[in-house]
Amino acid sequence: EKRLNELGYKSEFRRDMSLSGVLGISFCAIGILTGMSSAFQTGLFSGGPLGLFWGWNICSFFMFLIALSLAEICSTFPAMGGLYFWVCKMKPDQ
């Protein structure tokens, strides 16, 4: 909270979730996973199990690197928008 005040932000965001909020996020995550399961058929026919294995691992590694860099930015400069705020700030101007 002290760091937020130094940056000029007033802490107004509630940092707790209700049961309905947790359930909503859980069902969204489950929906993504079940929706992606239909893409396995294409991957299995195109590259086989080995293609799926390496594809998932390589993509997951690079997504992990992106998540680490954005987490570092968000932890250094906390704001109410968090990740969305800093991605918007870092995007190139058009």
Coordinates of all heavy atoms in Angstrom, one line a residue:
E1 N 0.8 -1.2 0.0 CA 0.0 0.0 0.0 C 0.9 1.3 0.0 O 0.5 2.2 -0.6 CB -0.9 0.0 1.2 CG -2.1 0.9 1.1 CD -3.2 0.7 2.1 OE1 -3.4 -0.5 2.4 OE2 -3.7 1.6 2.6
K2 N 2.0 1.2 0.7 CA 2.9 2.3 0.7 C 3.5 2.6 -0.7 O 3.5 3.7 -1.1 CB 4.1 2.0 1.7 CG 5.1 3.1 1.8 CD 6.2 2.7 2.7 CE 7.3 3.8 2.7 NZ 8.5 3.4 3.5
R3 N 3.8 1.5 -1.4 CA 4.3 1.7 -2.8 C 3.3 2.3 -3.7 O 3.6 3.1 -4.6 CB 4.8 0.3 -3.3 CG 5.4 0.4 -4.7 CD 6.7 1.0 -4.7 NE 7.3 0.9 -6.0 CZ 7.9 1.8 -6.6 NH1 8.2 3.0 -6.0 NH2 8.4 1.6 -7.9
L4 N 2.0 1.9 -3.5 CA 0.9 2.4 -4.3 C 0.8 3.9 -4.1 O 0.6 4.7 -5.0 CB -0.4 1.7 -4.0 CG -0.6 0.3 -4.6 CD1 -1.9 -0.3 -4.1 CD2 -0.6 0.4 -6.1
N5 N 0.9 4.3 -2.8 CA 0.8 5.7 -2.5 C 2.0 6.5 -3.1 O 1.8 7.7 -3.5 CB 0.8 5.9 -1.0 CG -0.6 5.5 -0.4 OD1 -1.6 5.5 -1.1 ND2 -0.5 5.1 0.9
E6 N 3.2 5.9 -3.1 CA 4.3 6.6 -3.7 C 4.1 6.8 -5.2 O 4.5 7.8 -5.8 CB 5.6 5.8 -3.5 CG 6.1 5.8 -2.1 CD 7.2 4.8 -1.9 OE1 7.6 4.1 -2.9 OE2 7.7 4.7 -0.8
L7 N 3.4 5.9 -5.9 CA 3.1 6.0 -7.3 C 1.9 6.9 -7.6 O 1.6 7.1 -8.7 CB 2.9 4.6 -7.9 CG 4.1 3.7 -8.0 CD1 3.7 2.3 -8.4 CD2 5.1 4.2 -8.9
G8 N 1.2 7.3 -6.5 CA 0.1 8.2 -6.7 C -1.3 7.5 -6.9 O -2.2 8.0 -7.3
Y9 N -1.3 6.2 -6.5 CA -2.6 5.4 -6.5 C -3.2 5.3 -5.2 O -2.5 5.0 -4.2 CB -2.3 4.0 -7.1 CG -2.0 4.1 -8.6 CD1 -0.6 3.9 -9.0 CD2 -2.9 4.2 -9.6 CE1 -0.3 3.9 -10.3 CE2 -2.6 4.2 -10.9 CZ -1.3 4.1 -11.3 OH -0.9 4.1 -12.6
K10 N -4.5 5.4 -5.1 CA -5.2 5.1 -3.9 C -5.7 3.7 -3.9 O -6.3 3.3 -4.9 CB -6.4 6.1 -3.7 CG -7.1 5.9 -2.5 CD -8.3 6.9 -2.4 CE -9.1 6.6 -1.2 NZ -10.3 7.4 -1.2
S11 N -5.4 2.9 -2.9 CA -5.8 1.5 -2.9 C -7.3 1.4 -2.7 O -7.8 1.6 -1.6 CB -5.1 0.8 -1.8 OG -5.5 -0.6 -1.8
E12 N -8.1 1.1 -3.8 CA -9.5 1.0 -3.7 C -10.0 -0.4 -4.1 O -11.2 -0.7 -4.0 CB -10.2 2.0 -4.6 CG -9.9 3.4 -4.2 CD -10.5 4.4 -5.1 OE1 -11.1 4.0 -6.1 OE2 -10.3 5.6 -4.8
F13 N -9.1 -1.2 -4.6 CA -9.5 -2.5 -5.1 C -9.6 -3.5 -4.0 O -8.7 -3.7 -3.2 CB -8.4 -3.0 -6.2 CG -8.8 -4.2 -6.9 CD1 -9.9 -4.3 -7.7 CD2 -8.0 -5.4 -6.7 CE1 -10.2 -5.5 -8.4 CE2 -8.3 -6.5 -7.3 CZ -9.4 -6.6 -8.2
R14 N -10.7 -4.2 -4.0 CA -10.9 -5.3 -3.0 C -10.0 -6.5 -3.4 O -10.1 -6.9 -4.5 CB -12.3 -5.7 -2.8 CG -13.2 -4.6 -2.2 CD -14.6 -5.1 -2.0 NE -15.1 -6.0 -3.1 CZ -15.9 -7.0 -3.0 NH1 -16.4 -7.3 -1.8 NH2 -16.2 -7.8 -4.0
R15 N -9.3 -7.0 -2.4 CA -8.4 -8.1 -2.7 C -9.0 -9.4 -2.2 O -8.2 -10.2 -1.6 CB -7.0 -7.9 -2.2 CG -6.4 -6.6 -2.8 CD -5.0 -6.5 -2.5 NE -4.4 -5.2 -2.8 CZ -4.2 -4.7 -4.0 NH1 -4.6 -5.4 -5.0 NH2 -3.6 -3.5 -4.1
D16 N -10.3 -9.7 -2.3 CA -10.9 -10.9 -1.9 C -11.9 -11.3 -3.0 O -12.4 -10.5 -3.7 CB -11.5 -10.8 -0.5 CG -12.6 -9.8 -0.4 OD1 -12.6 -8.9 -1.3 OD2 -13.4 -9.8 0.5
M17 N -12.3 -12.6 -3.0 CA -13.2 -13.0 -4.0 C -14.3 -13.8 -3.2 O -14.1 -14.5 -2.3 CB -12.6 -13.9 -5.0 CG -11.6 -13.2 -5.9 SD -11.0 -14.3 -7.2 CE -12.5 -14.5 -8.2
S18 N -15.5 -13.7 -3.8 CA -16.6 -14.4 -3.2 C -16.7 -15.8 -3.8 O -15.9 -16.1 -4.8 CB -18.0 -13.7 -3.6 OG -18.2 -13.7 -4.9
L19 N -17.5 -16.6 -3.2 CA -17.6 -18.0 -3.7 C -18.1 -18.0 -5.2 O -17.6 -18.8 -6.0 CB -18.6 -18.8 -2.8 CG -18.8 -20.3 -3.3 CD1 -17.5 -21.1 -3.2 CD2 -19.8 -20.9 -2.4
S20 N -19.0 -17.2 -5.5 CA -19.5 -17.2 -6.9 C -18.4 -16.7 -7.9 O -18.4 -17.2 -9.0 CB -20.8 -16.3 -7.0 OG -20.4 -14.9 -6.7
G21 N -17.6 -15.8 -7.5 CA -16.5 -15.4 -8.3 C -15.5 -16.5 -8.6 O -15.0 -16.7 -9.7
V22 N -15.1 -17.2 -7.5 CA -14.2 -18.3 -7.7 C -14.8 -19.4 -8.6 O -14.1 -20.0 -9.4 CB -13.9 -18.9 -6.3 CG1 -13.1 -20.2 -6.4 CG2 -13.1 -17.9 -5.5
L23 N -16.1 -19.7 -8.4 CA -16.8 -20.7 -9.2 C -16.8 -20.2 -10.7 O -16.6 -21.0 -11.6 CB -18.2 -21.0 -8.7 CG -18.3 -21.8 -7.4 CD1 -19.7 -21.9 -7.0 CD2 -17.7 -23.2 -7.6
G24 N -17.1 -19.0 -10.9 CA -17.1 -18.4 -12.3 C -15.8 -18.6 -13.0 O -15.7 -19.0 -14.1
I25 N -14.7 -18.2 -12.3 CA -13.4 -18.4 -12.9 C -13.0 -19.8 -13.1 O -12.4 -20.2 -14.1 CB -12.3 -17.7 -12.0 CG1 -12.5 -16.2 -12.0 CG2 -10.9 -18.1 -12.4 CD1 -11.6 -15.4 -11.1
S26 N -13.4 -20.7 -12.2 CA -13.2 -22.1 -12.3 C -13.9 -22.7 -13.5 O -13.3 -23.4 -14.3 CB -13.6 -22.9 -11.1 OG -12.9 -22.4 -10.0
F27 N -15.1 -22.3 -13.7 CA -15.9 -22.8 -14.9 C -15.3 -22.3 -16.2 O -15.3 -22.9 -17.2 CB -17.4 -22.5 -14.8 CG -18.1 -23.5 -13.8 CD1 -18.7 -23.0 -12.7 CD2 -18.1 -24.8 -14.0 CE1 -19.3 -23.9 -11.8 CE2 -18.7 -25.7 -13.2 CZ -19.3 -25.2 -12.1
C28 N -14.8 -21.0 -16.2 CA -14.2 -20.5 -17.4 C -12.9 -21.3 -17.8 O -12.7 -21.6 -18.9 CB -13.8 -19.0 -17.2 SG -15.2 -17.9 -17.2
A29 N -12.1 -21.6 -16.8 CA -10.9 -22.4 -17.0 C -11.3 -23.8 -17.5 O -10.6 -24.3 -18.4 CB -10.1 -22.5 -15.7
I30 N -12.3 -24.4 -16.9 CA -12.7 -25.7 -17.4 C -13.2 -25.7 -18.8 O -12.9 -26.5 -19.6 CB -13.7 -26.3 -16.4 CG1 -13.1 -26.6 -15.1 CG2 -14.3 -27.6 -17.0 CD1 -14.0 -27.0 -14.0
G31 N -13.9 -24.6 -19.1 CA -14.5 -24.5 -20.5 C -13.4 -24.3 -21.5 O -13.5 -24.9 -22.6
I32 N -12.3 -23.6 -21.2 CA -11.2 -23.5 -22.2 C -10.6 -24.9 -22.4 O -10.3 -25.2 -23.5 CB -10.2 -22.5 -21.6 CG1 -10.8 -21.1 -21.7 CG2 -8.9 -22.5 -22.4 CD1 -10.0 -20.0 -20.9
L33 N -10.3 -25.6 -21.3 CA -9.7 -26.9 -21.5 C -10.5 -27.9 -22.3 O -10.0 -28.6 -23.1 CB -9.3 -27.5 -20.1 CG -8.3 -26.7 -19.3 CD1 -8.1 -27.3 -17.9 CD2 -7.0 -26.8 -20.1
T34 N -11.8 -27.9 -22.0 CA -12.7 -28.8 -22.8 C -12.8 -28.4 -24.2 O -13.0 -29.2 -25.1 CB -14.0 -29.0 -22.1 OG1 -14.6 -27.7 -22.0 CG2 -13.9 -29.6 -20.7
G35 N -12.8 -27.1 -24.4 CA -12.9 -26.6 -25.8 C -11.7 -26.9 -26.6 O -11.7 -27.2 -27.8
M36 N -10.5 -26.9 -26.0 CA -9.3 -27.2 -26.7 C -9.1 -28.7 -27.0 O -8.3 -29.1 -27.8 CB -8.1 -26.7 -25.9 CG -7.9 -25.2 -25.9 SD -6.5 -24.7 -24.9 CE -5.2 -25.6 -25.6
S37 N -9.9 -29.5 -26.3 CA -9.7 -31.0 -26.5 C -10.1 -31.4 -27.9 O -9.6 -32.4 -28.4 CB -10.5 -31.7 -25.5 OG -11.9 -31.5 -25.7
S38 N -10.9 -30.6 -28.6 CA -11.3 -30.9 -29.9 C -10.1 -30.7 -30.9 O -10.0 -31.2 -32.0 CB -12.5 -30.1 -30.4 OG -12.2 -28.8 -30.3
A39 N -9.2 -29.8 -30.5 CA -8.0 -29.5 -31.3 C -7.0 -30.7 -31.3 O -6.1 -30.7 -32.1 CB -7.3 -28.2 -30.9
F40 N -7.1 -31.5 -30.3 CA -6.2 -32.7 -30.2 C -6.3 -33.6 -31.5 O -5.3 -34.2 -31.9 CB -6.4 -33.5 -29.0 CG -5.8 -32.9 -27.8 CD1 -6.6 -32.6 -26.6 CD2 -4.5 -32.5 -27.7 CE1 -6.1 -32.1 -25.5 CE2 -3.9 -31.9 -26.6 CZ -4.7 -31.7 -25.5
Q41 N -7.5 -33.7 -32.0 CA -7.7 -34.6 -33.2 C -6.8 -34.1 -34.3 O -6.1 -34.9 -35.0 CB -9.1 -34.7 -33.6 CG -9.4 -35.5 -34.7 CD -10.9 -35.5 -35.1 OE1 -11.7 -34.8 -34.5 NE2 -11.2 -36.3 -36.1
T42 N -6.9 -32.8 -34.6 CA -6.1 -32.3 -35.7 C -4.6 -32.5 -35.4 O -3.8 -32.9 -36.3 CB -6.4 -30.8 -35.9 OG1 -7.8 -30.6 -36.0 CG2 -5.6 -30.2 -37.1
G43 N -4.2 -32.2 -34.2 CA -2.7 -32.4 -33.9 C -2.3 -33.9 -34.0 O -1.2 -34.1 -34.4
L44 N -3.1 -34.8 -33.6 CA -2.8 -36.2 -33.6 C -2.7 -36.7 -35.1 O -1.8 -37.4 -35.4 CB -3.8 -37.0 -32.9 CG -3.6 -37.0 -31.3 CD1 -4.8 -37.7 -30.7 CD2 -2.3 -37.6 -30.9
F45 N -3.6 -36.2 -35.9 CA -3.5 -36.6 -37.3 C -2.4 -35.9 -38.1 O -1.8 -36.5 -39.0 CB -4.8 -36.3 -38.0 CG -6.0 -37.2 -37.6 CD1 -7.2 -36.7 -37.5 CD2 -5.7 -38.5 -37.2 CE1 -8.3 -37.5 -37.1 CE2 -6.7 -39.3 -36.8 CZ -8.0 -38.8 -36.8
S46 N -2.0 -34.7 -37.7 CA -1.0 -33.9 -38.4 C 0.4 -34.3 -38.0 O 1.3 -34.6 -38.8 CB -1.1 -32.4 -38.2 OG -2.4 -32.0 -38.7
G47 N 0.7 -34.3 -36.7 CA 2.1 -34.5 -36.2 C 2.2 -35.7 -35.3 O 3.3 -36.1 -35.0
G48 N 1.1 -36.3 -34.9 CA 1.2 -37.4 -34.0 C 1.5 -37.0 -32.6 O 1.6 -35.8 -32.2
P49 N 1.6 -38.0 -31.7 CA 1.8 -37.7 -30.3 C 3.1 -37.0 -30.0 O 3.1 -36.1 -29.1 CB 1.9 -39.1 -29.6 CG 1.3 -40.0 -30.6 CD 1.4 -39.4 -32.0
L50 N 4.1 -37.3 -30.8 CA 5.4 -36.6 -30.6 C 5.3 -35.1 -30.9 O 5.8 -34.2 -30.3 CB 6.5 -37.2 -31.4 CG 7.9 -36.9 -31.1 CD1 8.2 -37.2 -29.6 CD2 8.9 -37.6 -32.0
G51 N 4.6 -34.8 -32.0 CA 4.3 -33.4 -32.4 C 3.6 -32.6 -31.3 O 3.8 -31.5 -31.0
L52 N 2.5 -33.3 -30.8 CA 1.8 -32.6 -29.7 C 2.7 -32.4 -28.5 O 2.6 -31.4 -27.8 CB 0.6 -33.5 -29.3 CG -0.6 -33.5 -30.2 CD1 -1.7 -34.5 -29.8 CD2 -1.2 -32.1 -30.3
F53 N 3.5 -33.4 -28.1 CA 4.3 -33.3 -26.9 C 5.3 -32.1 -27.1 O 5.4 -31.3 -26.2 CB 5.1 -34.6 -26.7 CG 6.1 -34.5 -25.6 CD1 5.7 -34.6 -24.3 CD2 7.5 -34.4 -25.9 CE1 6.6 -34.5 -23.3 CE2 8.4 -34.3 -24.9 CZ 8.0 -34.4 -23.6
W54 N 6.0 -32.1 -28.2 CA 7.0 -31.0 -28.3 C 6.3 -29.6 -28.6 O 6.8 -28.6 -28.1 CB 8.0 -31.3 -29.5 CG 9.0 -32.3 -29.0 CD1 9.0 -33.6 -29.5 CD2 10.0 -32.2 -28.0 NE1 10.0 -34.3 -28.8 CE2 10.6 -33.4 -27.9 CE3 10.4 -31.1 -27.2 CZ2 11.7 -33.6 -27.1 CZ3 11.4 -31.4 -26.4 CH2 12.1 -32.6 -26.3
G55 N 5.2 -29.6 -29.3 CA 4.5 -28.4 -29.5 C 4.0 -27.8 -28.2 O 4.2 -26.6 -28.0
W56 N 3.4 -28.6 -27.3 CA 2.9 -28.1 -26.1 C 4.1 -27.6 -25.2 O 4.0 -26.6 -24.5 CB 2.2 -29.2 -25.3 CG 0.7 -29.2 -25.7 CD1 0.2 -30.0 -26.7 CD2 -0.3 -28.4 -25.2 NE1 -1.2 -29.7 -26.8 CE2 -1.5 -28.8 -25.9 CE3 -0.4 -27.4 -24.2 CZ2 -2.7 -28.2 -25.6 CZ3 -1.6 -26.9 -23.9 CH2 -2.8 -27.3 -24.6
N57 N 5.2 -28.4 -25.2 CA 6.3 -28.0 -24.3 C 7.0 -26.8 -24.8 O 7.4 -25.9 -24.0 CB 7.3 -29.2 -24.2 CG 6.8 -30.3 -23.3 OD1 6.1 -30.0 -22.3 ND2 7.0 -31.5 -23.7
I58 N 7.2 -26.6 -26.1 CA 7.9 -25.4 -26.6 C 7.0 -24.2 -26.4 O 7.5 -23.1 -25.9 CB 8.3 -25.6 -28.1 CG1 9.4 -26.7 -28.2 CG2 8.7 -24.3 -28.7 CD1 9.7 -27.1 -29.6
C59 N 5.8 -24.3 -26.7 CA 4.9 -23.1 -26.5 C 4.7 -22.8 -25.0 O 4.7 -21.6 -24.7 CB 3.5 -23.4 -27.1 SG 3.5 -23.5 -28.9
S60 N 4.6 -23.8 -24.2 CA 4.5 -23.5 -22.8 C 5.7 -22.8 -22.2 O 5.6 -22.0 -21.4 CB 4.3 -24.8 -22.0 OG 3.1 -25.4 -22.4
F61 N 6.9 -23.2 -22.7 CA 8.1 -22.6 -22.2 C 8.2 -21.1 -22.6 O 8.5 -20.3 -21.7 CB 9.4 -23.3 -22.9 CG 10.7 -22.6 -22.6 CD1 11.2 -22.7 -21.3 CD2 11.3 -21.9 -23.5 CE1 12.4 -22.1 -21.0 CE2 12.5 -21.3 -23.2 CZ 13.1 -21.4 -22.0
F62 N 7.8 -20.7 -23.8 CA 7.8 -19.3 -24.2 C 6.7 -18.5 -23.5 O 6.9 -17.4 -23.2 CB 7.8 -19.2 -25.7 CG 9.1 -19.5 -26.4 CD1 9.2 -20.7 -27.1 CD2 10.2 -18.7 -26.2 CE1 10.4 -21.0 -27.7 CE2 11.4 -19.0 -26.8 CZ 11.5 -20.2 -27.5
M63 N 5.6 -19.2 -23.3 CA 4.5 -18.5 -22.6 C 4.9 -18.3 -21.1 O 4.6 -17.2 -20.5 CB 3.2 -19.3 -22.6 CG 2.6 -19.3 -24.0 SD 1.2 -20.4 -24.2 CE 0.1 -20.0 -22.9
F64 N 5.6 -19.2 -20.5 CA 6.2 -19.0 -19.2 C 7.1 -17.9 -19.1 O 7.1 -17.1 -18.1 CB 6.8 -20.3 -18.7 CG 7.3 -20.3 -17.3 CD1 6.4 -20.3 -16.3 CD2 8.7 -20.3 -17.1 CE1 6.9 -20.2 -15.0 CE2 9.2 -20.3 -15.8 CZ 8.3 -20.2 -14.7
L65 N 8.0 -17.7 -20.1 CA 8.9 -16.6 -20.1 C 8.2 -15.2 -20.2 O 8.5 -14.3 -19.5 CB 9.9 -16.7 -21.3 CG 10.9 -17.8 -21.2 CD1 11.8 -17.8 -22.4 CD2 11.8 -17.7 -19.9
I66 N 7.1 -15.2 -21.0 CA 6.3 -14.0 -21.1 C 5.6 -13.7 -19.8 O 5.6 -12.5 -19.3 CB 5.3 -14.1 -22.3 CG1 6.0 -14.1 -23.6 CG2 4.3 -12.9 -22.2 CD1 5.2 -14.5 -24.8
A67 N 5.1 -14.7 -19.2 CA 4.4 -14.5 -17.9 C 5.4 -14.1 -16.8 O 5.0 -13.2 -16.0 CB 3.7 -15.9 -17.5
L68 N 6.6 -14.6 -16.8 CA 7.6 -14.1 -15.8 C 7.9 -12.7 -16.0 O 8.0 -11.9 -15.0 CB 8.9 -15.0 -15.9 CG 8.8 -16.4 -15.3 CD1 10.1 -17.1 -15.5 CD2 8.5 -16.3 -13.8
S69 N 8.1 -12.2 -17.2 CA 8.5 -10.8 -17.5 C 7.3 -9.9 -17.1 O 7.5 -8.9 -16.5 CB 8.9 -10.6 -18.9 OG 7.8 -10.9 -19.8
L70 N 6.1 -10.3 -17.4 CA 4.9 -9.4 -17.1 C 4.7 -9.5 -15.5 O 4.3 -8.4 -15.0 CB 3.7 -9.9 -17.8 CG 3.7 -9.6 -19.3 CD1 2.5 -10.2 -20.0 CD2 3.8 -8.1 -19.5
A71 N 5.0 -10.6 -14.9 CA 4.8 -10.7 -13.4 C 5.8 -9.8 -12.8 O 5.5 -9.1 -11.8 CB 5.0 -12.1 -13.0
E72 N 7.0 -9.7 -13.3 CA 8.1 -8.8 -12.7 C 7.7 -7.3 -12.9 O 7.8 -6.6 -11.9 CB 9.4 -9.0 -13.5 CG 10.5 -8.2 -13.0 CD 10.9 -8.5 -11.5 OE1 10.7 -9.6 -11.1 OE2 11.4 -7.6 -10.9
I73 N 7.1 -7.0 -14.0 CA 6.7 -5.6 -14.2 C 5.5 -5.3 -13.3 O 5.5 -4.2 -12.6 CB 6.2 -5.4 -15.7 CG1 7.5 -5.5 -16.6 CG2 5.5 -4.1 -15.9 CD1 7.1 -5.5 -18.1
C74 N 4.6 -6.2 -13.2 CA 3.4 -5.9 -12.3 C 3.8 -5.9 -10.8 O 3.2 -5.1 -10.1 CB 2.3 -7.0 -12.5 SG 1.5 -6.9 -14.1
S75 N 4.8 -6.7 -10.4 CA 5.2 -6.6 -9.0 C 6.0 -5.4 -8.7 O 6.0 -4.9 -7.6 CB 5.9 -7.9 -8.6 OG 7.2 -7.9 -9.3
T76 N 6.7 -4.9 -9.7 CA 7.5 -3.7 -9.4 C 6.6 -2.4 -9.4 O 6.8 -1.5 -8.6 CB 8.6 -3.6 -10.5 OG1 9.3 -4.7 -10.5 CG2 9.5 -2.4 -10.2
F77 N 5.7 -2.4 -10.3 CA 4.8 -1.2 -10.4 C 3.3 -1.7 -10.3 O 2.6 -1.8 -11.3 CB 5.0 -0.5 -11.8 CG 6.3 -0.1 -12.1 CD1 7.2 -0.8 -12.9 CD2 6.9 1.0 -11.4 CE1 8.4 -0.4 -13.2 CE2 8.1 1.4 -11.7 CZ 8.9 0.7 -12.5
P78 N 2.8 -1.9 -9.1 CA 1.5 -2.4 -8.9 C 0.5 -1.3 -9.2 O 0.7 -0.1 -8.9 CB 1.4 -2.8 -7.4 CG 2.4 -1.9 -6.8 CD 3.5 -1.7 -7.8
A79 N -0.6 -1.7 -9.9 CA -1.7 -0.7 -10.2 C -2.9 -1.5 -10.3 O -2.9 -2.8 -10.2 CB -1.4 -0.1 -11.6
M80 N -4.1 -0.8 -10.3 CA -5.3 -1.5 -10.3 C -5.6 -2.4 -11.5 O -6.1 -3.5 -11.4 CB -6.5 -0.6 -10.1 CG -6.7 -0.3 -8.6 SD -8.1 0.6 -8.1 CE -9.4 0.2 -9.1
G81 N -5.1 -1.9 -12.7 CA -5.2 -2.7 -13.9 C -4.3 -3.9 -14.0 O -4.5 -4.8 -14.7
G82 N -3.2 -3.8 -13.2 CA -2.2 -4.9 -13.2 C -1.7 -5.2 -14.6 O -1.2 -4.4 -15.3
L83 N -1.8 -6.4 -15.0 CA -1.3 -6.9 -16.3 C -1.8 -6.2 -17.5 O -1.1 -5.8 -18.3 CB -1.6 -8.4 -16.4 CG -1.2 -9.1 -17.7 CD1 0.3 -9.2 -17.7 CD2 -1.9 -10.5 -17.7
Y84 N -3.1 -5.9 -17.5 CA -3.7 -5.2 -18.7 C -3.2 -3.8 -18.8 O -2.9 -3.3 -19.9 CB -5.2 -5.2 -18.5 CG -5.8 -6.6 -18.4 CD1 -6.3 -7.0 -17.2 CD2 -5.8 -7.4 -19.5 CE1 -6.8 -8.3 -17.1 CE2 -6.3 -8.7 -19.4 CZ -6.8 -9.1 -18.1 OH -7.3 -10.4 -18.0
F85 N -3.0 -3.1 -17.7 CA -2.5 -1.8 -17.7 C -1.1 -1.7 -18.3 O -0.8 -0.9 -19.2 CB -2.5 -1.2 -16.3 CG -1.9 0.2 -16.1 CD1 -2.6 1.3 -16.5 CD2 -0.6 0.3 -15.7 CE1 -2.1 2.5 -16.4 CE2 -0.1 1.6 -15.5 CZ -0.8 2.7 -15.9
W86 N -0.2 -2.6 -17.9 CA 1.2 -2.6 -18.3 C 1.3 -3.1 -19.7 O 2.2 -2.6 -20.5 CB 2.1 -3.3 -17.3 CG 2.2 -2.5 -16.1 CD1 1.7 -2.8 -14.9 CD2 2.8 -1.2 -16.0 NE1 1.9 -1.7 -14.0 CE2 2.7 -0.8 -14.6 CE3 3.5 -0.4 -16.8 CZ2 3.1 0.4 -14.2 CZ3 4.0 0.8 -16.4 CH2 3.8 1.2 -15.1
V87 N 0.5 -4.0 -20.2 CA 0.6 -4.5 -21.5 C 0.2 -3.3 -22.5 O 0.8 -3.1 -23.5 CB -0.3 -5.7 -21.8 CG1 -0.5 -6.0 -23.2 CG2 0.3 -6.9 -21.1
C88 N -0.8 -2.6 -22.1 CA -1.3 -1.4 -22.8 C -0.2 -0.4 -22.9 O 0.1 0.3 -23.9 CB -2.5 -0.9 -22.2 SG -3.2 0.5 -23.2
K89 N 0.5 -0.2 -21.8 CA 1.6 0.8 -21.7 C 2.8 0.4 -22.6 O 3.5 1.2 -23.2 CB 2.1 1.0 -20.3 CG 1.2 1.8 -19.4 CD 1.3 3.3 -19.8 CE 0.6 4.1 -18.8 NZ 0.5 5.5 -19.2
M90 N 3.1 -0.9 -22.7 CA 4.2 -1.4 -23.4 C 4.0 -1.6 -24.9 O 5.0 -1.7 -25.6 CB 4.7 -2.7 -22.8 CG 5.3 -2.5 -21.4 SD 5.6 -4.1 -20.5 CE 6.2 -5.1 -21.8
K91 N 2.8 -1.6 -25.3 CA 2.5 -1.8 -26.7 C 3.1 -0.7 -27.6 O 3.1 0.5 -27.1 CB 1.0 -2.0 -27.0 CG 0.2 -0.8 -26.9 CD -1.2 -1.1 -27.2 CE -2.1 0.1 -27.1 NZ -1.7 1.3 -27.8
P92 N 3.5 -0.9 -28.8 CA 4.0 0.1 -29.7 C 2.9 1.1 -30.1 O 1.7 0.6 -30.3 CB 4.6 -0.6 -30.9 CG 4.0 -1.9 -30.9 CD 3.6 -2.2 -29.5
D93 N 3.2 2.4 -30.2 CA 2.2 3.3 -30.6 C 2.0 3.2 -32.2 O 3.0 3.0 -32.9 CB 2.6 4.8 -30.3 CG 2.6 5.0 -28.8 OD1 1.8 4.4 -28.1 OD2 3.5 5.8 -28.3
Q94 N 0.8 3.4 -32.6 CA 0.5 3.3 -34.0 C 0.1 4.6 -34.6 O -0.5 5.4 -34.0 CB -0.6 2.2 -34.3 CG -0.1 0.9 -33.9 CD -1.2 -0.2 -34.1 OE1 -2.4 0.1 -34.1 NE2 -0.8 -1.4 -34.2

